Amino acid sequence: MRISVLGTGYLGATHAACLAREGYDVVAVDCDPRKVASLAAGRAPFREDGLDDLLRAGIDAGRLCFTTDLHEAAGADVHFLCVGTPETTDPPGRLDLSALWGLVDDLAPLLRRPCLLVGRSTVPAGTAREVRDRVQRSAPAGPEVSVAWNPEFLREGHAVADSVDPHRIVVGTEDAADLVSLREVYRPWLDRDVPFVTTDLATAELAKVSANAMLATRISMVNVLAELCEQAGADVDGLVEVLGGDPRIGRDYLEPGLGFGGSCLPKDLRGLTASAQDAGLAVAADFLRQVDRVNDHQRSRTVALATDLLGGDVRGRRIAVLGAAFKAGSDDLRESPAVDVAGRLAGAGATVLVHDPAAHDVPSDRPWQLVATAAEACTDAELVLVLTPWPEYADLDPARLRRRVRFPRVIDARRALDRERWQQAGWQHWAPGVDAATLPADHRSVATA
Ligand code: UDX
């Protein structure tokens, strides 16, 4: 079976490499020549554990190739559509399908033999049928082309592990023959007893945005509880342990902090909100909007606390921000809560020095400065904020760092630090879910604002 993977972001590149690992011949296509050159040399142009090794193994075995030429993919039996569907900017909050439509329009006239198009991109329900209609419109005399949907659930930084050993494979089809083809493609996974969920097209299309909206809802819920804990003098760690001990609730995605970011959770939540709104489901749309609002509130209250700790005005004040990536283990700054908070503080006039161990590709128009070490960021700082929970920040020596800063105050917005250790070293420490009564009196109002 010949397979093409169209679009080589972290999803497509990983999928192509994993298919080659299972013995398939895979041609992967992307319109970005720099990305293709890097992947063809066995180097992913983004941080993804284990991917470079997998790429090199596939390329060296002659089973995996990368190209910008879509013609080279035209002869495949199965085409995986893996292009990005970012959030629209105008109006905001929808999934931008223009790359998908561009790809389908370009591919359809090239197809010379019956084949199966398998969508993996995150899309609203109804997209698969539109793909099929569009293929027919673009190439009315073309071969028979079916469309199936096969959403992915990969986490950045764990994409290889999540691809090799997924929790489940979801496949939405309209035709029994397409299901047979996809069972064949995923045979190596089925042989490893990976659950294979078969469904209709709309359910498969909804699966990804629903899963991400569910994860986002859990995170916002635990952040609401953390705020309640602060006021009640309760311990959010204990509360999460109690909740997580119930197998119906589970422990995952209950880490309170600065809220969710990244290229998927925020946009998928908003995409689902737009779908609910379009369907006239006002209550559903309001509920989902509230999850986003709670998420934004984590950033606002962190900025408010920082401002309060600096006496109500951050203008000209020196602030250290530790962490820029949207999560530890990633160099991705997209929708990063840390970048947002650093930007809001710098926008209000603070001098913000940011450190991150992985993120180097920072936008040139940023209002803050990226520095090479955490120590450099903290030198003479009047306030330190830990905004991405990199393990290296947990390993910092608070006593040594204390000698660098102007005032030993830290907002541990991701709960990355050992509170007792930092307090013993003389630091004033604040973290979400920590008793508001432990804040200095004039800062307690922030928690209730
Ligand atoms: C997510 C989904 O997990 C994945 O299944 C989907 O395919 C893509 O979107 P990813 O964007 O890599 O993956 O991020 P994830 O690890 O899920 O974290 C998302 C955000 O939530 C991060 O900003 C993280 O810091 C935050 N988070 C996560 C919390 O604030 N609390 C938690 O308990 C878990």
Side-chain angles (χ1 to χ4, degrees), residues 153-154 156 208 212 253-255 260-261 264 326-327 414:
F153 304 93
L154 312 181
E156 279 189 40
K208 170 72 182 287
N212 279 346
Y253 283 79
L254 286 186
E255 198 54 59
F260 54 82
C264 287
F326 84 102
K327 67 174 184 180
R414 289 289 190 181

Side-chain angles (χ1 to χ4, degrees), residues 189-276:
W189 283 264
L190 297 181
D191 290 345
R192 296 200 293 270
D193 289 332
V194 173
F196 192 75
V197 183
T198 60
T199 178
D200 53 82
L201 287 174
T203 308
E205 289 165 324
L206 260 179
K208 170 72 182 287
V209 281
S210 305
N212 279 346
M214 182 72 88
L215 295 173
T217 304
R218 283 175 70 90
I219 296 168
S220 280
M221 181 69 200
V222 81
N223 283 329
V224 165
L225 295 175
E227 215 175 343
L228 282 164
C229 282
E230 289 163 23
Q231 295 311 305
D235 165 24
V236 74
D237 289 319
L239 186 64
V240 165
E241 199 183 325
V242 172
L243 295 173
D246 184 333
R248 293 172 304 172
I249 298 174
R251 177 64 186 80
D252 290 346
Y253 283 79
L254 286 186
E255 198 54 59
L258 194 54
F260 54 82
S263 64
C264 287
L265 259 59
K267 101 172 151 85
D268 290 357
L269 177 69
R270 288 176 207 140
L272 194 62
T273 309
S275 297

